Amino acid sequence: MKMSRQVPLNALRVFEAVARLSSFTRAGEELGLTQTAVSYQIKLLEENIGEPLFLRRPRQITLTETGERLLPKVSQGFDLLGEAVVAARRASSEILILHSTPTFAQQWLTRRLGTFQFRHPQIAVRLVTGARIVDFHTETADIAIRWGTGDWPGLISQHLMRLDFAPILSPALAETHGGIREPADLLKLPLISPSDPWWKHWFKAAGVPDPNLDTLTPNDFGVQTFDAAAAMAGQGVAIVNPAHYADDIAAGRLILPFDLLCNDGRDYWLAYAESRRNVPKIRAFRDWILEEFAGADACSKTEKCI
Amino acid sequence: MKMSRQVPLNALRVFEAVARLSSFTRAGEELGLTQTAVSYQIKLLEENIGEPLFLRRPRQITLTETGERLLPKVSQGFDLLGEAVVAARRASSEILILHSTPTFAQQWLTRRLGTFQFRHPQIAVRLVTGARIVDFHTETADIAIRWGTGDWPGLISQHLMRLDFAPILSPALAETHGGIREPADLLKLPLISPSDPWWKHWFKAAGVPDPNLDTLTPNDFGVQTFDAAAAMAGQGVAIVNPAHYADDIAAGRLILPFDLLCNDGRDYWLAYAESRRNVPKIRAFRDWILEEFAGADACSKTEKCI
DNA sequence: CTTCATGGATCAGTTCTCTTGATGGCGGCA
DNA sequence: TGCCGCCATCAAGAGAACTGATCCATGAAG
């Protein structure tokens, strides 16, 4: 093997154990090897150094001077290595880097992350939001909440919630212009983010002829929260995922004039690298979030359109 | 392999090289393995840690935070291990532990070791003398000069010089009692170490009937130098290896009354562990001492008896 | 003084890690 | 657009490393 190039690491590890325990047999037990293997490794190391490291006395072995000189640095070295790995493993199990769309983060995560922290106090969540879809290959991320169709090669995707959309507006605004009785009435009010393709989808599903909206600007999803805030302030009608604003609707700050919820085939998904499906912190987060949605599913009645 | 138990050492070494060189390919070159192997080891380590260690960016790789945290301790650890091994190797090539019989040490080695030191200034010779035959297995020794038949299992033995013996005495003493004309005349003088079995051998070879000497005490070889000193002081006749006292004989301080040199089949041999025949310091000493004897051989004319 | 127990060395056979070489993808660069 | 650099993947093979059986030496126990 080309691996044991200059410094025979495995032999050194065996040496350390043997020196510490003063016994080939016991070192073997500690390392999970047979006494034969230990003997082999020590001989290897002795040949490499060019000097015996142990004196084989009848019922016990002793370090030679060379061995004696070798031991301290070697055990120090392994201490460091061990520490480093343990620390890395621990740290990696303690910090969960979660990527999410800004809307989902603000409307859903921030309100519920507390229960995750409570259940896993040792895991610190670092939440990174952004419209761009994170590439697990070139960026540091453990898990992501994304919006799409869920087929990402190399990733495991688990469905979180439907991403429906429907118009919302403030009760006060709904009273103006003679009230909102049918979908077409919405066109009498200012539309917030009129370039959002969702408008077209929704009006089409509602049977309203093409309202001739400009849909050049793609829905970049960074603004839904602002749209909702604008709607709440009575500045117009926004098209958003009503599930995110259930509270505001229940409190009367927003109204959902029509029960027609649309879905363009893209939902919220949880995604993480297939190769890391068993990493504890990832399992923990997945289990938690799926549980949260399992409990909430009863409330979400949606109807697929398109 | 059971070896890579908890801490995958080889993977860590590869990691260190990759991190230092920021490249799988170049790390492979440095370590003497293929890029594939490097990739494999890094993946192994990443699985072990549970976290990616490198971000694979288009034309270069970057350490992740975890990798960044891991690196310093790992490289420190390997520094220590490397240092330790190098130091041990160096130390082991710098100190030569030489065992010898006291007589040989005093009469031969001490006078010539200087030339060895001169030729190999980096090798320090630690000379250990003692009558007991050193066991390379249970004692720290690199090379030994012994007296015997040269067949020691597991050791390489190389013949150094015949160990002949003959009576010597001071010129003054030889004048007394009417002088020494034939071997039997020696019996008129006091014998030094009369229990030495060499006396029996020599007298027998000289044709002198059994002088009835006590040979219970084995020749332990620790005393030849003292015997010679006593003889030189005129206190009696000693039986020694005349080659060791060639100077004193040439200077007239001692005389060798008869040319009859005996040898009991046991000579001086150089011995060292077969498994270590290629250790540099051992080769160096062997080469040197054999050369010394090769030059001296011309002078030693001996005749085997017994 | 046997007999037993302990601990290491040795040997041949086998397992399985690690390596290789070929191939493919991806992003820059000219 | 095609080439190049760099890493990932795959199947296959080499050989290091491990095992189990056996042997040997020593010291302790009966």
Side-chain angles (χ1 to χ4, degrees):
Chain A
M1 91 179 200
K2 290 270 177 59
M3 194 82 260
S4 297
R5 270 227 110 40
Q6 13 261 1
V7 182
L9 295 176
N10 291 330
L12 278 178
R13 166 156 54 192
V14 173
F15 165 73
E16 190 276 334
V18 171
R20 181 158 37 78
L21 300 170
S22 290
S23 158
F24 283 35
T25 310
R26 263 168 300 164
E29 281 162 16
E30 176 177 293
L31 296 168
L33 310 170
T34 58
Q35 173 265 338
T36 313
V38 174
S39 179
Y40 172 78
Q41 293 287 347
I42 294 297
K43 180 187 282 188
L44 221 61
L45 183 59
E46 290 182 330
E47 269 165 25
N48 182 291
I49 301 276
E51 192 99 347
L53 297 169
F54 294 100
L55 295 176
R56 277 74 165 177
R57 313 200 129 281
R59 295 180 80 79
Q60 80 180 31
I61 52 176
T62 330
L63 281 167
T64 60
E65 288 176 44
T66 310
E68 206 89 58
R69 273 196 300 270
L70 190 59
L71 181 58
K73 279 192 180 172
V74 168
S75 49
Q76 249 186 292
F78 280 121
D79 282 353
L80 268 152
L81 253 35
E83 258 176 53
V85 171
V86 168
R89 265 202 282 251
R90 213 172 39 108
S92 90
S93 71
E94 281 179 347
I95 299 178
L96 178 87
I97 299 181
L98 166 63
H99 283 237
S100 165
T101 62
T103 308
F104 188 87
Q106 178 151 2
Q107 297 303 323
W108 197 96
L109 281 174
T110 52
R111 303 184 185 180
R112 292 174 179 81
L113 262 181
T115 71
F116 177 76
Q117 313 260 26
F118 183 74
R119 193 194 290 186
H120 300 284
Q122 81 288 1
I123 301 181
V125 176
R126 188 186 307 169
L127 179 56
V128 181
T129 62
R132 204 168 44 76
I133 282 192
V134 65
D135 177 359
F136 288 98
H137 227 54
T138 57
E139 288 171 77
T140 304
D142 295 313
I143 202 162
I145 290 164
R146 299 180 165 183
W147 167 70
T149 54
D151 51 341
W152 294 292
L155 302 185
I156 291 181
S157 320
Q158 295 187 293
H159 190 264
L160 289 183
M161 66 183 280
R162 284 180 64 98
L163 179 46
D164 299 313
F165 45 89
I168 53 166
L169 70 169
S170 72
L173 185 65
E175 300 303 316
T176 63
H177 295 78
I180 303 299
R181 265 179 263 287
E182 53 183 50
D185 293 342
L186 292 172
L187 291 170
K188 295 183 291 186
L189 303 173
L191 299 187
I192 298 169
S193 295
S195 62
D196 191 320
W198 279 358
W199 281 121
K200 277 193 119 158
H201 287 142
W202 192 85
F203 279 122
K204 190 174 170 202
V208 177
D210 186 2
N212 226 355
L213 298 167
D214 179 11
T215 59
L216 288 181
T217 320
N219 181 334
D220 75 358
F221 236 71
V223 296
Q224 207 178 99
T225 303
F226 304 136
D227 288 10
M232 221 176 302
Q235 303 192 351
V237 191
I239 189 157
V240 300
N241 176 10
H244 280 153
Y245 303 95
D247 290 353
D248 296 311
I249 293 167
R253 290 187 290 274
L254 284 172
I255 62 169
L256 188 66
F258 307 101
D259 262 352
L260 177 62
L261 297 180
C262 272
N263 176 290
D264 64 357
R266 292 180 296 178
D267 292 335
Y268 276 121
W269 297 82
L270 187 70
Y272 47 92
E274 194 173 352
S275 58
R276 303 184 64 210
R277 80 180 86 85
N278 287 321
V279 174
K281 63 182 176 184
I282 291 180
R283 299 181 79 125
F285 188 82
R286 179 196 59 198
D287 292 349
W288 168 77
I289 201 168
L290 290 179
E291 235 175 73
E292 288 285 322
F293 276 105
D297 260 359
C299 320
S300 97
K301 290 164 293 181
T302 58
E303 176 186 335
K304 175 126 179 179
C305 70
I306 286 185
Chain B
M1 96 177 200
K2 292 271 178 59
M3 195 81 257
S4 295
R5 278 233 102 43
Q6 12 262 359
V7 182
L9 295 177
N10 291 330
L12 278 178
R13 166 156 53 193
V14 174
F15 165 74
E16 189 276 334
V18 172
R20 181 157 37 78
L21 300 171
S22 291
S23 159
F24 283 35
T25 310
R26 262 167 300 157
E29 280 161 17
E30 176 176 296
L31 296 168
L33 30 100
T34 59
Q35 172 266 334
T36 312
V38 174
S39 178
Y40 172 80
Q41 293 288 346
I42 294 297
K43 180 188 281 189
L44 221 62
L45 184 59
E46 288 180 332
E47 269 165 25
N48 181 292
I49 301 277
E51 192 99 348
L53 297 169
F54 294 100
L55 296 176
R56 277 73 166 177
R57 313 198 130 283
R59 296 183 78 77
Q60 79 181 36
I61 52 175
T62 330
L63 281 166
T64 61
E65 289 177 43
T66 309
E68 207 87 59
R69 273 197 301 271
L70 191 59
L71 180 59
K73 279 192 179 173
V74 168
S75 48
Q76 248 186 290
F78 280 121
D79 282 354
L80 270 161
L81 291 183
E83 260 176 53
V85 171
V86 168
R89 265 202 282 251
R90 214 174 37 109
S92 89
S93 71
E94 281 179 345
I95 300 178
L96 178 87
I97 299 180
L98 166 62
H99 283 237
S100 164
T101 60
T103 306
F104 189 87
Q106 177 150 2
Q107 298 302 323
W108 197 97
L109 281 175
T110 53
R111 301 183 186 181
R112 292 173 179 81
L113 262 182
T115 73
F116 177 76
Q117 314 259 26
F118 184 73
R119 192 194 292 185
H120 300 283
Q122 81 286 3
I123 301 181
V125 176
R126 188 186 305 168
L127 178 56
V128 181
T129 61
R132 203 169 43 76
I133 282 192
V134 65
D135 176 0
F136 288 97
H137 225 55
T138 56
E139 287 171 78
T140 304
D142 293 314
I143 203 162
I145 290 164
R146 299 181 166 181
W147 167 69
T149 54
D151 51 340
W152 295 293
L155 302 186
I156 292 182
S157 319
Q158 294 187 291
H159 189 265
L160 290 183
M161 66 184 280
R162 285 179 63 99
L163 179 47
D164 299 312
F165 45 90
I168 54 166
L169 71 169
S170 70
L173 185 62
E175 298 304 315
T176 62
H177 295 79
I180 304 296
R181 267 180 259 286
E182 55 182 51
D185 291 343
L186 292 172
L187 290 170
K188 295 183 289 186
L189 303 174
L191 299 189
I192 298 168
S193 296
S195 62
D196 191 320
W198 278 359
W199 280 120
K200 277 193 117 159
H201 287 140
W202 193 84
F203 277 121
K204 190 173 169 204
V208 177
D210 185 3
N212 226 354
L213 296 168
D214 181 11
T215 60
L216 287 180
T217 320
N219 181 334
D220 73 358
F221 235 70
V223 294
Q224 205 176 102
T225 303
F226 303 137
D227 287 11
M232 220 176 302
Q235 303 193 351
V237 190
I239 189 157
V240 301
N241 176 9
H244 280 152
Y245 301 95
D247 288 353
D248 295 312
I249 292 168
R253 291 188 288 274
L254 285 173
I255 61 169
L256 187 65
F258 307 100
D259 263 351
L260 177 63
L261 297 180
C262 274
N263 177 289
D264 64 357
R266 293 180 294 178
D267 291 337
Y268 275 121
W269 296 82
L270 187 71
Y272 47 92
E274 194 173 352
S275 57
R276 303 184 64 210
R277 79 180 87 84
N278 287 321
V279 174
K281 64 182 177 185
I282 291 180
R283 298 181 79 125
F285 188 82
R286 180 196 58 198
D287 292 349
W288 168 77
I289 200 168
L290 290 180
E291 238 176 71
E292 287 285 322
F293 276 104
D297 258 0
C299 322
S300 94
K301 291 165 292 180
T302 56
E303 176 187 334
K304 176 130 178 177
C305 70
I306 286 186

